[in-house]
Amino acid sequence: MKKQAKISSAVIKRLPRYRRYLGELQKKGIDKISSNEFSSLIGYTASQIRQDLNNFGGFGQQGYGYSVSGLYSEISAILGLDRQYKMVIVGAGNLGQAIANHTYYYKAGFVVCGIFEINPRLIGIKINDIEVMDYENIVGYVEENQIDIGIICTTKDAAQEVADKLCFAGVRGLWNFAPVDIETPNHVAIENVHISDSLHSLAYHMTGAYSEKK
Amino acid sequence: MKKQAKISSAVIKRLPRYRRYLGELQKKGIDKISSNEFSSLIGYTASQIRQDLNNFGGFGQQGYGYSVSGLYSEISAILGLDRQYKMVIVGAGNLGQAIANHTYYYKAGFVVCGIFEINPRLIGIKINDIEVMDYENIVGYVEENQIDIGIICTTKDAAQEVADKLCFAGVRGLWNFAPVDIETPNHVAIENVHISDSLHSLAYHMTGAYSEKK
DNA sequence: TAGATTGTTAATCGATTAACAATC
DNA sequence: TAGATTGTTAATCGATTAACAATC
């Protein structure tokens, strides 16, 4: 990694996509790609690809291109996917359960250590071998187990309060699925997902398509 | 709605957020807001708010501001949320089940009519009163019931094939949760969600925060 | 009417694309 | 070496912000 100026968030949002495509190429046994070939595959211009990557360093080789596996690991490292993250889920409803069951995350270095609930009927059960614990005890648990990330799967009314508690307990990032914009202190990263916003965009584009056709 | 030039996707992506905040204001019984007040609430500049809204028409009143409920319904109409959408889910795994259980969508005009699966152990069960049917029969079902949207909750390997079948059967939009970029014909809208991309962005920002602190 | 606030045009800023020299 | 392709600077394009005239 070179300097470390301020990388624009547009660039950051493209990185996981680069990585995804590189992962596929790697699986296919392709070990070299030029920015031009990559462009026609991923749909960004070759210029943008080179520009994006050069924010972090010169990963290519003139006259040759980029090493697929090399670039894959560079981007993984940039994103911080070369380490493990310990996570807790708050809210054992459908969404919390779905995430707990999503074992992909485990492979990728994101380990769900526990799930917290207020509903006593759910406390004590296991979901995908992960224990559902009493929300009352969350602060102590996060502190003792050095949890990195809190995943918020509560109602929107509870979300900010849960976030505050998690920040207080020492998480370094929050992944929020409640339909509100959570605020965190500066040292805690936050990603607000807003799944239904994307459904609304979809509806917009369907309407557009519809009214165009008349 | 005024002209209908080409609205940039940056604007479209802000609309659901405007709507969300307006919904909250409405619940609080606030019936009037100026672009300045709205700005400090939602975090966009007042100028941007006015600029965005004027892509679609003059919804405000000079010297007064915007009617909260008026703007809420205008934006809902622009997004196409003033009608009903019939949806099917493909894939009755954790994610498919979570979405089927998410009754919020029903209230908002998005009705899940059926779930389709290939796993015979799941076919025939009900999830939140919605029948899990054999994937074999999906084309006929979509045609007969005039399904608008297909929700793809399959593995990434099956996703494009499922998408093609849904497009063939006549859906007008696809909401894809599989970690690939699905392609559709021009008349079918597509929204690729890529939940784990957002987890990767989170990891990036946590790493940044970490290395800054040293 | 005077004050407030929109709608809209103009200025700025940032991000994308094009071009090309460096170099493998 | 010649050809290919990167890294990087310069040009363009689009999106955001500022300013202000229109008007409720």
Side-chain angles (χ1 to χ4, degrees):
Chain A
M1 276 184 238
K2 227 165 37 176
K3 42 199 170 184
Q4 194 63 305
K6 181 69 172 63
I7 310 292
S8 93
S9 81
V11 175
I12 307 304
K13 286 211 215 78
R14 282 191 291 269
L15 293 180
R17 185 176 160 115
Y18 286 127
R19 184 170 173 277
R20 203 153 21 85
Y21 278 80
L22 289 164
E24 291 299 317
L25 287 168
Q26 216 171 358
K27 243 187 241 159
K28 284 186 195 143
I30 295 164
D31 47 42
K32 179 241 147 181
I33 194 161
S34 72
S35 57
N36 246 300
E37 293 162 331
F38 203 15
S39 168
S40 52
L41 189 67
I42 203 172
Y44 304 140
T45 63
S47 197
Q48 176 159 74
I49 292 169
R50 296 203 300 277
Q51 195 79 275
D52 280 354
L53 296 177
N54 278 88
N55 280 303
F56 304 98
F59 301 137
Q61 187 176 323
Q62 276 118 327
Y64 175 80
Y66 297 87
S67 147
V68 170
S69 63
L71 198 50
Y72 181 86
S73 14
E74 290 286 2
I75 294 180
S76 298
I78 293 165
L79 287 170
L81 302 180
D82 52 356
R83 24 180 154 330
Q84 275 222 340
Y85 296 89
K86 294 166 88 176
M87 317 197 288
V88 293
I89 296 171
V90 183
N94 300 125
L95 187 60
Q97 295 202 17
I99 291 172
N101 275 310
H102 218 292
T103 47
Y104 159 80
Y105 294 121
Y106 179 77
K107 274 190 318 190
F110 296 94
V111 184
V112 177
C113 300
I115 307 175
F116 290 85
E117 246 296 331
I118 44 165
N119 182 345
R121 275 191 296 174
L122 292 171
I123 296 168
I125 69 168
K126 288 205 164 189
I127 298 166
N128 191 27
D129 257 332
I130 305 157
E131 203 186 333
V132 177
M133 292 174 272
D134 191 339
Y135 178 65
E136 288 274 298
N137 305 322
I138 194 165
V139 172
Y141 185 91
V142 167
E143 280 172 353
E144 275 160 42
N145 294 279
Q146 307 225 53
I147 299 299
D148 301 291
I149 296 175
I151 305 176
I152 300 178
C153 299
T154 65
T155 61
K156 69 167 182 248
D157 299 316
Q160 183 64 56
E161 199 178 316
V162 167
D164 293 344
K165 193 164 261 187
L166 285 163
C167 290
F168 171 80
V171 300
R172 298 188 296 118
L174 289 177
W175 199 23
N176 173 42
F177 287 87
V180 279
D181 297 300
I182 294 253
E183 317 251 310
T184 57
N186 271 336
H187 64 281
V188 179
I190 169 77
E191 195 73 26
N192 290 297
V193 176
H194 295 317
I195 290 182
S196 56
D197 282 12
S198 90
L199 184 57
H200 295 172
S201 296
L202 180 64
Y204 174 84
H205 289 293
M206 291 173 61
T207 315
Y210 185 71
S211 63
E212 261 175 299
K213 275 193 253 169
K214 227 322 141 31
Chain B
M1 281 183 235
K2 230 168 30 178
K3 42 197 172 183
Q4 195 62 309
K6 181 66 173 62
I7 311 292
S8 93
S9 82
V11 175
I12 307 304
K13 285 212 216 78
R14 283 191 292 269
L15 293 179
R17 185 176 161 116
Y18 285 128
R19 183 170 172 277
R20 202 151 25 84
Y21 277 82
L22 289 165
E24 290 299 316
L25 288 167
Q26 216 171 357
K27 243 187 239 160
K28 283 185 197 144
I30 294 163
D31 46 43
K32 179 240 146 179
I33 195 160
S34 72
S35 57
N36 246 300
E37 294 162 332
F38 203 16
S39 169
S40 52
L41 189 66
I42 202 171
Y44 303 141
T45 63
S47 197
Q48 176 158 73
I49 293 169
R50 296 203 299 279
Q51 195 78 277
D52 280 354
L53 297 176
N54 277 88
N55 280 302
F56 304 98
F59 301 136
Q61 186 176 327
Q62 275 118 328
Y64 175 81
Y66 297 88
S67 149
V68 170
S69 63
L71 199 50
Y72 181 86
S73 15
E74 290 285 2
I75 293 179
S76 298
I78 292 164
L79 288 170
L81 302 180
D82 52 355
R83 26 181 154 328
Q84 275 222 343
Y85 295 87
K86 295 167 86 175
M87 315 197 290
V88 293
I89 296 170
V90 183
N94 301 125
L95 187 60
Q97 295 201 20
I99 291 173
N101 275 310
H102 218 291
T103 47
Y104 159 81
Y105 294 121
Y106 180 76
K107 276 192 314 196
F110 296 93
V111 185
V112 177
C113 299
I115 307 175
F116 290 85
E117 246 296 331
I118 44 165
N119 182 344
R121 276 191 295 174
L122 292 170
I123 296 169
I125 69 168
K126 287 203 165 192
I127 298 167
N128 192 29
D129 257 333
I130 304 156
E131 205 186 333
V132 178
M133 291 173 273
D134 190 338
Y135 179 65
E136 288 273 299
N137 305 321
I138 195 167
V139 172
Y141 185 91
V142 167
E143 282 172 352
E144 274 160 41
N145 295 279
Q146 306 224 50
I147 298 300
D148 300 292
I149 295 174
I151 306 176
I152 299 177
C153 299
T154 64
T155 62
K156 70 169 182 248
D157 298 316
Q160 182 65 57
E161 199 178 319
V162 167
D164 294 343
K165 194 166 259 186
L166 285 163
C167 291
F168 171 80
V171 300
R172 297 188 297 116
L174 289 177
W175 200 22
N176 173 41
F177 287 87
V180 277
D181 297 301
I182 293 254
E183 316 250 310
T184 57
N186 271 334
H187 64 282
V188 178
I190 170 77
E191 195 73 26
N192 291 298
V193 176
H194 294 316
I195 289 182
S196 56
D197 282 13
S198 91
L199 184 57
H200 295 172
S201 296
L202 180 65
Y204 173 85
H205 290 293
M206 291 174 61
T207 313
Y210 185 72
S211 63
E212 260 173 305
K213 273 193 254 173
K214 222 338 142 26

